[in-house]
């Protein structure tokens, strides 16, 4: 073999190696694929909780989840940042928060939790309300903040690796006003969606914004127009991503949102009697915009798992997935609450244990 042939041989060998590496990189985020068939969720082409029944109710096809929206939380306001310092170090540390989140994920999964909610603008770190902190993965014109995205990537990679689904919210009321105008909102949607596509994630359910009917500054994030963003993401991704948005507790999404959404998100907050869960699900199914698709609670702050009747059980009886929402109430210890900052992401408090032990019983994990 002459020198020219050797050079070409080496060149093509390197070219094949590069393509092989690119292929590997593209595939590394494709371990976990979430899909919907009718009213049921599938992970990697297998129905969730396959063949599982509990107290005479079908469990297979549901997607139990927990509200863990603060996994990438930071406070960019120096005047309020110290409100979130850890009790042991007296310092707030967003990287510690994300690392401890990731460390806890396998334990959640081992109890039967297949999905969790994450939000790029978080949720109220006090449970309800916003009071000056700045927590957003987008700058004022919709560019992605690299530190937030690095933390997000760590969580999404871990979820993909262990077979969990992430219900990823883009916006949260009280933080959307950090985006200066509607064009900035569109930029944010395009930038994060393109990033997710580039990374080839397939374990995502997209929630455009949490509770679109509450106090959003930008009209495109309000009920009358947010379906534009649902359709925008679908078109951008060629329907690779499953997309929806949510309304406040005990409210039926408008018909246009139900029709546009791949799955219907509802909240159990404000429903004091479990029968109200059944009524809410029935109203969704009776909506003019509804066709066969999953109904999923991804926020409910009612528990009582030891009683004869409770929201989680009624949700199952209505064949709707249910989501645990837990925040630290005033005077409770650090280990309480998954939405409160700083967060103990372990299954540590009595309330967390009650949910996860009940979930383990229900799912048979």
């Amino acid at each position: 073999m002459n020198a020219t042939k050797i050079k070409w041989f080496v060149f093509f060998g390197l070219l094949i190696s590069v393509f092989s590496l690119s292929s590997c990189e593209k595939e590394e985020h494709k371990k976990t694929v979430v899909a919907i068939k009718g009213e049921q969720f599938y992970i990697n082409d297998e129905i969730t909780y396959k063949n599982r029944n509990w107290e005479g109710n079908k469990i297979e096809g549901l997607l139990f989840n927990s509200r863990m929206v603060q996994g990438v939380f930071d406070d960019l306001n120096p005047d309020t940042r110290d409100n979130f310092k850890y009790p042991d170090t007296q310092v707030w540390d967003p990287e510690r928060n994300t690392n401890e989140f990731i460390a806890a994920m396998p334990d959640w999964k081992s109890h039967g939790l297949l999905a969790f909610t994450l939000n790029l603008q978080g949720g109220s770190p006090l449970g309800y309300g916003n009071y000056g902190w700045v927590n957003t993965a987008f700058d004022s014109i919709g560019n992605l903040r690299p530190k937030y995205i690095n933390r997000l990537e760590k969580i999404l990679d871990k979820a993909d690796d262990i077979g969990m689904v992430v219900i990823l919210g883009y916006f949260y009321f009280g933080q959307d006003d950090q985006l200066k105008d509607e064009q900035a909102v569109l930029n944010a949607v395009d930038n994060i969606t393109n990033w997710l596509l580039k990374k080839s994630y397939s374990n995502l359910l997209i929630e455009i914004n949490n509770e679109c009917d509450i106090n959003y500054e930008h009209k495109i994030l309000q009920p009358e127009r947010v379906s534009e963003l649902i359709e925008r993401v679908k078109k951008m991704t060629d329907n690779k991503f499953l997309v929806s948005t949510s309304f406040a507790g005990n409210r039926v999404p408008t018909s246009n949102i139900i029709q546009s959404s791949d799955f219907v998100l509802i909240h159990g907050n404000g429903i004091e009697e479990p029968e109200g869960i059944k009524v809410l699900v029935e109203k969704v199914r009776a909506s003019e915009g509804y066709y066969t698709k999953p109904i999923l609670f991804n926020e409910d702050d009612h528990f009582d798992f030891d009683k004869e009747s409770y929201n989680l059980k009624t949700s199952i009886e209505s064949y709707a997935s249910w989501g645990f929402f837990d925040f630290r109430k005033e005077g409770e210890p650090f280990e309480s609450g998954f939405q409160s900052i700083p967060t103990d992401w372990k299954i540590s408090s009595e309330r967390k244990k009650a949910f996860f032990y009940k979930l383990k019983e229900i799912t048979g994990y």
Side-chain angles (χ1 to χ4, degrees):
M1 188 180 291
N2 62 35
T4 302
K5 286 184 177 179
I6 290 172
K7 285 178 182 177
W8 277 107
F9 181 79
V10 170
F11 172 76
F12 281 114
L14 287 170
L15 200 59
I16 289 167
S17 296
V18 168
F19 278 117
S20 297
L21 283 170
S22 298
S23 176
C24 288
E25 286 175 4
K26 199 170 183 181
E27 290 298 318
E28 70 176 352
H29 295 303
K30 290 186 176 180
K31 292 180 182 177
T32 303
V33 180
V34 63
I36 289 171
K37 299 178 185 179
E39 287 188 285
Q40 299 174 319
F41 288 98
Y42 284 71
I43 296 177
N44 295 336
D45 291 324
E46 183 169 290
I47 195 167
T48 58
Y49 311 112
K50 188 175 181 179
N51 298 324
R52 182 66 181 171
N53 288 276
W54 175 76
E55 295 194 359
N57 298 290
K58 183 169 68 172
I59 300 301
E60 71 169 8
L62 295 178
L63 191 70
F64 295 111
N65 61 95
S66 180
R67 185 170 169 81
M68 311 293 202
V69 291
Q70 311 287 31
V72 297
F73 179 90
D74 197 5
D75 184 6
L76 306 179
N77 181 355
D79 294 333
T80 55
R81 188 180 177 89
D82 279 351
N83 292 337
F84 308 117
K85 56 191 178 185
Y86 285 95
D88 57 347
T89 63
Q90 294 299 298
V91 174
W92 164 244
D93 183 349
E95 301 305 322
R96 171 182 172 178
N97 178 60
T98 296
N99 291 337
E100 290 182 355
F101 184 106
I102 291 166
M105 287 167 60
D107 197 23
W108 305 339
K109 172 82 182 292
S110 74
H111 286 76
L113 191 77
L114 293 184
F116 57 84
T117 308
L118 200 63
N119 194 297
L120 297 175
Q121 294 190 323
S124 173
L126 303 182
Y128 290 97
N130 283 278
Y131 303 97
W133 46 78
V134 176
N135 173 37
T136 174
F138 311 110
D139 70 13
S140 64
I141 59 173
N143 294 320
L144 305 180
R145 297 186 191 275
K147 289 183 179 179
Y148 273 85
I149 300 306
N150 288 341
R151 293 194 295 273
L152 174 66
E153 185 171 13
K154 290 179 184 178
I155 292 175
L156 297 186
D157 284 353
K158 183 66 174 181
D160 176 71
D161 186 54
I162 65 175
M164 295 189 79
V165 174
V166 181
I167 305 167
L168 182 62
Y170 285 3
F171 305 107
Y172 183 71
F173 59 88
Q175 295 297 326
D176 75 301
D177 58 2
Q178 300 297 327
L179 292 151
K180 72 173 187 175
D181 53 24
E182 184 169 307
Q183 186 58 53
V185 174
L186 295 175
N187 293 343
V189 168
D190 291 355
N191 287 333
I192 187 58
T193 304
N194 282 324
W195 181 85
L196 294 168
L197 277 172
K198 182 180 177 183
K199 293 293 181 180
S200 300
Y201 290 114
S202 51
N203 62 330
L204 303 177
L205 303 176
I206 303 299
E207 177 183 17
I208 295 295
N209 52 339
N210 177 78
E211 300 186 341
C212 66
D213 53 335
I214 294 186
N215 201 30
Y216 277 92
E217 177 160 318
H218 303 290
K219 291 188 182 302
I220 200 166
L221 290 171
Q222 296 170 9
E224 296 77 12
R225 293 188 57 204
V226 71
S227 60
E228 295 174 33
L229 297 180
I230 293 174
E231 296 298 337
R232 188 182 187 92
V233 172
K234 286 185 182 183
K235 185 176 180 180
M236 285 180 65
T237 65
D238 195 23
N239 293 311
K240 288 185 177 71
F241 291 167
L242 300 164
V243 193
S244 186
T245 198
S246 63
F247 279 60
N250 201 18
R251 294 185 190 174
V252 180
T254 53
S255 181
N256 68 311
I257 298 298
I258 291 176
Q259 185 167 11
S260 295
S261 299
D262 294 305
F263 55 100
V264 183
L265 287 173
I266 49 179
H267 290 174
N269 310 332
I271 299 177
E272 298 305 327
E273 295 298 329
E275 180 67 17
I277 293 288
K278 178 183 176 184
V279 171
L280 183 59
V281 172
E282 287 175 345
K283 286 180 178 178
V284 170
R285 290 198 172 109
S287 168
E288 195 175 288
Y290 180 79
Y291 58 91
T292 303
K293 62 181 75 177
I295 297 173
L296 187 153
F297 288 88
N298 70 333
E299 185 175 333
D300 192 340
D301 59 2
H302 296 86
F303 315 118
D304 298 324
F305 305 118
D306 57 340
K307 292 187 176 179
E308 184 176 342
S309 180
Y310 46 95
N311 286 13
L312 167 57
K313 184 178 180 182
T314 305
S315 177
I316 292 170
E317 292 168 347
S318 304
Y319 201 63
S321 302
W322 192 83
F324 178 64
F325 170 32
D326 181 30
F327 60 92
R328 185 166 53 243
K329 298 174 178 64
E330 188 174 352
E332 290 186 330
F334 165 63
E335 60 265 21
S336 300
F338 277 131
Q339 182 162 298
S340 305
I341 296 290
T343 311
D344 179 357
W345 294 110
K346 298 187 295 297
I347 303 172
S348 46
S349 71
E350 290 307 310
R351 202 159 50 236
K352 294 174 185 176
K353 290 175 184 176
F355 167 65
F356 277 100
Y357 294 170
K358 178 58 68 174
L359 184 62
K360 198 165 189 174
E361 173 195 322
I362 292 167
T363 62
Y365 268 58

